[in-house]
Amino acid sequence: MDNEMYDIEERERIERAKRFSKIWWRSRADAGVSQEYVAIGVGVSRKTVQNWEKGISSPDLFQASEWFNVLGLNPLPYFLDFIFPQDVDGIKGNDEDKRIDEALKQLIEQLPAAGKRQLLYMLYGNHGSSPNAVLNLMNAHLQAPLKDRIVHAAMIVENYELEKMLGNLVCPSNIQPDIKMLRTSMENARTTVEKHRSGYHMIQSEI
């Protein structure tokens, strides 16, 4: 019985390792860079990268974070693919409405409470802007080069803090942005631009 249980657990471990390794080889392929490029950026050997991609071993949290910083990719779609392999694999903006609805539902379910509150305020808060306008404004903002977004973000943060000090916020009783996180994001984005990468990400458990 013990051997049977061990065999079942081992098969499950191997299957998880295979699924987890997909995060690394697929994201690197999407970024179009070599194993050597990622290895240098993360600070490990090429053999280590090969082992990660084969599912022989796995990166720690810091190495995983650096992996996506080096690639300039958002890790969330790849980890959602790991958690829900049959549901969100390869989700694109022009997919069928049913698939988009399901992927969005799962994404919202993964958000912590603070993130859900901020999303609700952005779309339906008493700030005077329509949900569709907010979404399109954010979409337009994200189409700008990262270096330009850093400049815009700095202006927004400084204006927010000034208006907060003056007592002029539109909805002071509603959830407020995490300014400390925003400033850290801007620093990470600046480093990304300086290193000629295309993007960055942050592991932020409290959002």
Side-chain angles (χ1 to χ4, degrees):
M1 185 65 178
D2 289 342
N3 288 337
E4 183 180 349
M5 287 296 297
Y6 173 81
D7 290 341
I8 293 174
E9 291 176 357
E10 183 63 13
R11 286 196 298 269
E12 290 177 348
R13 185 197 67 79
I14 292 172
E15 180 59 29
R16 285 195 303 270
K18 288 180 180 178
R19 286 172 55 203
F20 201 56
S21 68
K22 184 180 179 181
I23 293 174
W24 316 120
W25 63 256
R26 183 177 175 181
S27 59
R28 183 178 62 80
D30 288 346
V33 300
S34 67
Q35 291 179 336
E36 184 177 7
Y37 177 87
V38 182
I40 293 173
V42 177
V44 297
S45 67
R46 182 179 178 184
K47 181 65 176 177
T48 297
V49 171
Q50 291 174 342
N51 287 341
W52 292 347
E53 294 188 0
K54 291 178 181 178
I56 297 173
S57 60
S58 298
D60 59 28
L61 185 60
F62 174 77
Q63 291 168 332
S65 177
E66 284 299 294
W67 178 281
F68 284 98
N69 277 331
V70 170
L71 298 184
L73 295 176
N74 179 2
L76 186 57
Y78 299 96
F79 283 98
L80 281 177
D81 181 25
F82 172 76
I83 299 170
F84 308 105
Q86 282 75 41
D87 298 319
V88 298
D89 183 29
I91 285 291
K92 304 295 182 184
N94 58 354
D95 282 344
E96 294 181 1
D97 289 347
K98 184 177 180 180
R99 290 196 73 202
I100 295 296
D101 288 345
E102 186 61 30
L104 184 59
K105 177 183 176 182
Q106 292 169 356
L107 176 61
I108 292 175
E109 288 176 351
Q110 299 302 309
L111 282 176
K116 293 175 182 178
R117 290 178 183 278
Q118 292 201 72
L119 184 60
L120 280 172
Y121 174 69
M122 287 174 59
L123 296 178
Y124 300 110
N126 190 24
H127 44 59
S129 295
S130 73
N132 195 40
V134 171
L135 287 174
N136 278 282
L137 181 63
M138 183 59 66
N139 194 357
H141 173 68
L142 293 174
Q143 293 289 348
L146 183 57
K147 62 179 180 61
D148 295 332
R149 280 181 266 154
I150 297 171
V151 175
H152 297 160
M155 293 173 59
I156 291 170
V157 169
E158 292 300 326
N159 185 61
Y160 168 83
E161 292 190 319
L162 179 60
E163 297 299 347
K164 182 179 181 181
M165 180 185 68
L166 296 174
N168 293 334
L169 295 182
V170 174
C171 297
S173 62
N174 211 311
I175 188 168
Q176 299 299 309
D178 185 339
I179 297 300
K180 181 179 178 181
M181 187 279 291
L182 281 175
R183 291 196 180 279
T184 301
S185 296
M186 288 188 291
E187 286 301 317
N188 288 352
R190 183 185 298 275
T191 299
T192 296
V193 171
E194 290 173 351
K195 293 183 177 180
H196 303 287
R197 297 172 182 168
S198 59
Y200 75 100
H201 81 283
M202 292 177 60
I203 298 175
Q204 190 74 11
S205 59
E206 60 266 31
I207 293 180

